[in-house]
């Protein structure tokens, strides 16, 4: 196709799609569907001997060491369940440093020596797999020729069935380590950080008099934002295919300025997709709770219920895969890039987190009188201290080329990591700083002024959408993670820095009590010291304002604006000491992640630059040149009859084409540059490729507004965001 033929074909295809929209088969109620494809506790209990089941639950619930003698029994029961579900293969699923999901599939069938076959799945096969480790990023942990890597069964995350029309697969969540035992994945550090958090949270709880302390775990619930566009448009945009975002595109005449999309009526086609996606998620035991239109046209959100952080991380990966696969069935592409369209709201993945256990409940629940809830105040203070000391690390674990388009803009948290506590908690901690808290602001009642409407209870404080780390009633919300990112990195950081704070607090309290200080007095002193030393991180105002940039600098808070500013935080002595002390990442493992993330940043920008150059030279320049020729021919025809043509438009096209040619030449030169270290290469990409691509984009977007529509080759923002 030439000119805008591809665009026209896409629009035609979209217009006729509703008549062929697939429908969901089956009449099962949501309650019957939930966990239908999960090797759940109820399935284990019904299929395993009682002693084996108890041993397995002890590992899952109380982190007891896994008894290897039960592996064969569990593997046999899991295999039988999977075969009953139509599975022919099994896969150890793991999460390498790419941030994506990896899986190696093997058949259950083995030759029986008599010309037939038998389904086999031994305990040793369940516990350990051996995928090739040389083809995954490792940041120097392994040489290219060293291929051996192991997957280790994560018993705390349930196995599940991955359905396909042509056969099902048993999927076993695993950790992924090298032959030397070093972590090559995102799950291993997460499990280690959970363990560190549990140890030091238990110390604090025992100081508060709890003798029966169950394992404390962190919980997470990540709100997933995403865009949907018709796949016909997607395949007509090489930049979306290669880079996940539009490298070019003039603003649509109407964007999000009317605020008419947020929470609006969900388009029929999108709702059909959502219903099927949620159905598939329910079968996988993923508790999808909320769906709605987001701020930008074509943007949507799905939010799950809280789960243990390692399970929530696995489920987040599954959720992204499910959204993409179901969208394809409905002729749409699910875009998870943080900024697929310039000039409109980007997509984040707000990670809500708390910590607690079955005995003491949610340790971040303040109750109605938080000033009297010393235990809550200690855990909340631990978060305040952790975020203040390690804000740079929190910024680094959400750093990526794609998230750079979002952080710091007037749609997402600023790059300055601060905490919003709200009026009630800020007042309580202010009282503590001044000598002791004696009261808490109470909830109120809203009188709406309509007799038929009920009085509404109001919270003792408002919310703050500009804060990157906000307290929201009984949990904190980390708003900085990007929509395409795994939540493993943020949760590893959160678990570890809070574990460190709880360690320090427990040590101080233990020492004070040993010296004869009354425990309540010791708690008040610890709280006072924390808010005095670390209260600078608390900010309840407008994080988007210019004044906050100045004030944050005066408070000593870091403003790490880009990935190349943020990632070096992983290479500091403080980061190395933190992660190694708590057994989360040794120095080699931490260095490997630093190298991998720098390389991923550089490669992402390089792919974008190459794509931008190709699209500009092979699609935009030819279209603009044809239009230039048409205008020149028209001008010549006017002159031929003795009149003077208006060549204003021709001059504008010609000058913009000239600017584009200069910009593409500069971009080509920037692409050819060779750098030294990974950090030098990343800095070069940031300093040269980003502005060079911006210059190319400025010229292309200008041409889009003046080249004849029948010649323009790329689907426009107006088409992609509004035609669904």
């Amino acid at each position: 196709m030439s000119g805008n033929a591809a665009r026209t074909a896409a629009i035609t295809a979209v217009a006729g799609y509703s008549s062929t929209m697939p429908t969901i088969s089956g009449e099962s109620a949501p309650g019957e569907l939930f966990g239908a494809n999960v090797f759940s506790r109820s399935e284990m209990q019904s299929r395993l001997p009682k002693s084996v089941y108890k041993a397995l639950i002890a590992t899952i619930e109380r982190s007891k060491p896994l008894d290897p003698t039960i592996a064969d029994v569990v593997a046999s029961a899991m295999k039988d369940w999977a075969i009953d579900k139509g599975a022919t293969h099994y896969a150890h699923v793991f999460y390498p440093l790419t941030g994506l999901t990896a899986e190696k599939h093997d058949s259950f069938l083995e030759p029986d020596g008599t010309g037939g076959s038998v389904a086999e799945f031994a305990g040793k096969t369940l516990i350990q797999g051996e995928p090739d480790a040389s083809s995954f990023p490792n940041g120097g942990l392994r040489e290219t020729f060293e291929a051996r890597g192991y997957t280790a069964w994560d018993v705390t995350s349930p196995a599940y069935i991955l359905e396909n029309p042509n056969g099902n697969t048993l999927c076993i969540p695993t950790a992924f380590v090298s032959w030397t035992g070093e972590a090559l994945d995102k799950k291993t550090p997460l499990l280690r950080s959970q363990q560190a958090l549990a140890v030091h949270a238990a110390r604090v709880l025992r100081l508060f008099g709890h003798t029966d302390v169950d394992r404390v775990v962190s919980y997470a619930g990540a709100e997933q934002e995403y865009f949907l566009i018709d796949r016909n448009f997607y395949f007509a945009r090489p930049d979306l295919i290669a880079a996940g975002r539009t490298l070019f595109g003039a603003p649509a005449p109407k964007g999000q300025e009317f605020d008419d999309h947020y929470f609006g009526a969900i388009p029929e086609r999108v709702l059909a997709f959502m219903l099927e996606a949620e159905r598939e998620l329910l079968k996988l035991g993923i508790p999808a709770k909320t769906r709605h239109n987001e701020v930008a046209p074509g943007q949507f959100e799905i939010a799950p219920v809280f789960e243990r952080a390692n399970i929530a991380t696995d489920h987040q990966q599954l959720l992204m895969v499910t959204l993409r696969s179901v969208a394809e069935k409905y002729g749409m592409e699910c875009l998870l890039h943080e900024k697929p369209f310039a000039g409109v709201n980007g997509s984040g993945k707000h990670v809500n987190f708390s910590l607690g256990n079955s005995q003491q409940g949610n340790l971040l629940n303040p109750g109605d009188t938080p000033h009297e809830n010393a235990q809550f105040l200690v855990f909340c203070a631990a978060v305040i201290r952790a975020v203040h000391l390690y804000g740079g690390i929190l910024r680094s674990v959400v750093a990526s080329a794609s998230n750079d388009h979002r952080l710091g803009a007037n749609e997402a948290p600023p790059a300055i990591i601060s905490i919003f506590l709200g009026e009630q908690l800020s007042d309580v901690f202010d009282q503590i700083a001044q000598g002791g808290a004696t009261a808490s602001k109470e909830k109120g009642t809203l009188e709406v002024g309509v007799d038929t409407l009920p009085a509404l209870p109001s919270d003792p404080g408002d919310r703050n959408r500009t804060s990157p780390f906000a307290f929201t009633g009984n949990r904190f919300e980390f708003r900085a993670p990007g929509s395409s990112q795994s939540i493993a990195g943020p949760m590893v950081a959160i678990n570890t820095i809070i574990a460190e704070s709880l360690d320090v607090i427990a040590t101080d309290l233990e020492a004070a009590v040993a010296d004869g200080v009354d425990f309540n007095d010791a708690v008040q002193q610890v709280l006072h010291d924390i808010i005095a030393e670390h209260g600078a991180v608390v900010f309840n105002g407008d994080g988007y304002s210019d004044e906050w940039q100045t004030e944050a600098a005066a408070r000593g808070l870091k403003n790490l604006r880009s990935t190349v500013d943020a990632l070096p935080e992983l290479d500091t002595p403080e980061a190395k000491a933190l992660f190694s002390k708590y057994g989360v990442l040794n120095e080699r493992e931490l260095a490997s992640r630093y190298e991998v993330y720098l390389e991923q940043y550089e490669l992402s920008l390089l792919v974008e630059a190459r794509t931008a150059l190709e699209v500009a030279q092979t699609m935009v320049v030819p279209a603009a040149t044809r239009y230039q020729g048409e205008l020149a021919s028209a001008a010549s025809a006017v002159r031929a009859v003795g009149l003077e043509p208006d060549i204003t438009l021709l001059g504008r096209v010609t000058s913009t084409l000239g600017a584009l040619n200069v910009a593409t030449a500069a971009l080509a030169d920037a692409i050819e540059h060779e750098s030294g270290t990974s950090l030098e290469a990343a800095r070069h990409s940031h300093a040269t490729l980003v502005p060079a691509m911006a210059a190319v984009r400025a010229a292309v977007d200008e041409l889009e507004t003046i080249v004849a529509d029948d010649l323009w080759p790329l689907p426009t923002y107006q088409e992609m965001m509004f035609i669904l």
Side-chain angles (χ1 to χ4, degrees), residues 214-485:
D214 197 2
R215 179 180 173 86
V216 173
V217 297
S218 59
Y219 294 87
E223 305 166 22
Q224 178 72 61
E225 296 173 344
Y226 60 95
F227 280 83
L228 292 172
I229 66 168
D230 188 272
R231 296 199 92 203
N232 293 284
F233 294 139
Y234 175 77
F235 288 123
R237 294 284 313 214
D239 48 0
L240 280 178
I241 294 172
R245 74 179 182 100
T246 54
L247 301 175
F248 309 116
K254 176 182 179 296
Q256 64 187 55
E257 60 270 21
F258 284 96
D259 301 319
D260 55 348
H261 191 71
Y262 192 54
F263 278 28
I266 300 172
E268 182 180 5
R269 183 184 184 188
V270 173
L271 183 57
F273 147 78
M274 288 178 169
L275 289 167
E276 181 157 355
E278 290 168 8
R279 181 184 176 89
E280 294 304 311
L281 293 173
L282 285 175
K283 288 155 67 175
L284 293 167
I286 302 174
K289 176 71 173 175
T290 303
R291 60 173 181 244
H292 61 81
N293 287 5
E294 251 300 329
V295 171
Q299 187 185 31
F300 308 93
E301 179 179 303
I302 182 171
V305 177
F306 267 56
E307 300 178 281
R308 292 188 178 206
N310 66 306
I311 297 177
T313 299
D314 289 359
H315 281 173
Q316 258 294 310
Q317 298 294 115
L318 263 177
L319 184 146
M320 289 190 288
V321 170
T322 301
L323 290 179
R324 287 193 183 105
S325 63
V326 175
E328 289 182 18
K329 288 182 62 176
Y330 289 80
M332 295 183 291
E333 189 68 25
C334 178
L335 304 178
L336 294 174
H337 192 284
E338 283 73 10
K339 197 73 169 179
F341 302 104
V344 299
N345 192 57
S347 295
K349 185 179 289 179
H350 304 166
V351 178
N352 297 274
F353 85 94
S354 64
L355 63 158
N357 61 18
S358 57
Q359 270 88 25
Q360 284 74 47
N362 180 3
L363 299 175
L364 291 178
N365 186 355
D368 293 331
T369 54
H371 69 285
E372 297 176 337
N373 191 342
Q375 181 176 287
F376 159 75
L377 291 173
V378 164
F379 279 94
C380 186
V383 176
I384 294 171
R385 179 186 178 278
V387 174
H388 184 234
L389 285 177
Y390 301 108
I393 289 176
L394 286 173
R395 173 65 181 89
S396 71
V397 296
V398 298
S400 70
S402 54
N403 213 16
D404 274 0
H405 294 283
R406 178 178 157 267
L407 291 182
N410 288 345
E411 62 182 68
I416 303 165
I417 302 297
S418 65
I419 283 181
F420 168 80
L421 287 181
E423 293 179 21
Q424 184 188 55
L425 286 187
S426 292
D427 178 62
V428 169
F429 277 106
D430 284 345
Q431 292 178 58
I432 291 171
Q434 294 167 14
T438 59
S440 301
K441 292 185 177 182
E442 297 181 357
K443 294 182 178 180
T445 301
L446 291 177
E447 297 295 340
V448 184
V450 178
D451 291 342
T452 57
L453 294 179
L456 302 176
S458 65
D459 291 299
D462 206 346
R463 295 183 64 186
N464 187 324
R465 67 181 298 272
T466 71
S467 174
F469 216 92
F471 188 75
T472 57
N474 60 2
R475 62 190 184 275
F476 280 92
E477 180 183 15
F478 189 26
R479 297 173 57 87
S483 54
S484 67
Q485 295 177 324

Side-chain angles (χ1 to χ4, degrees), residues 83-101:
I83 290 175
D84 289 346
K85 288 284 186 180
T88 58
H89 290 68
Y90 63 91
H92 288 102
V93 178
F94 55 101
Y95 309 100
L97 297 180
T98 58
L100 304 175
T101 301

Side-chain angles (χ1 to χ4, degrees), residues 608-671:
E608 288 188 355
R610 289 170 176 166
T611 304
L613 189 62
E614 178 182 305
V615 172
Q617 291 179 330
T618 65
M619 298 179 74
V620 175
V621 169
T625 302
R626 291 189 189 102
Y627 188 50
Q628 182 187 43
E630 288 184 6
L631 292 174
S633 296
S636 297
V638 170
R639 285 196 182 95
V641 297
L643 300 175
E644 188 61 31
D646 182 351
I647 58 171
T648 303
L649 183 56
L650 175 59
R652 188 177 169 193
V653 172
T654 301
S655 64
T656 309
L657 260 175
L660 178 56
N661 287 330
V662 171
T664 54
L667 180 57
D669 287 342
I671 290 172

Side-chain angles (χ1 to χ4, degrees), residues 200 203-204 378-379 381-390 494-508 526 530 534 578 582:
H200 298 290
R203 290 174 61 199
V204 172
V378 164
F379 279 94
V383 176
I384 294 171
R385 179 186 178 278
V387 174
H388 184 234
L389 285 177
Y390 301 108
I494 289 169
N495 287 342
T496 308
I497 65 177
I498 293 177
E500 191 272 345
S501 277
L502 292 173
D503 181 9
V504 170
I505 289 171
T507 300
D508 288 349
V526 164
I530 287 177
H534 306 289
L578 171 74
Y582 295 97

Side-chain angles (χ1 to χ4, degrees), residues 416 545-557 559 561:
I416 303 165
S545 66
D546 293 335
E547 292 79 10
W548 171 231
Q549 308 281 322
T550 303
E551 183 180 341
R555 294 187 184 196
L557 302 182
N559 188 0
R561 297 177 182 275

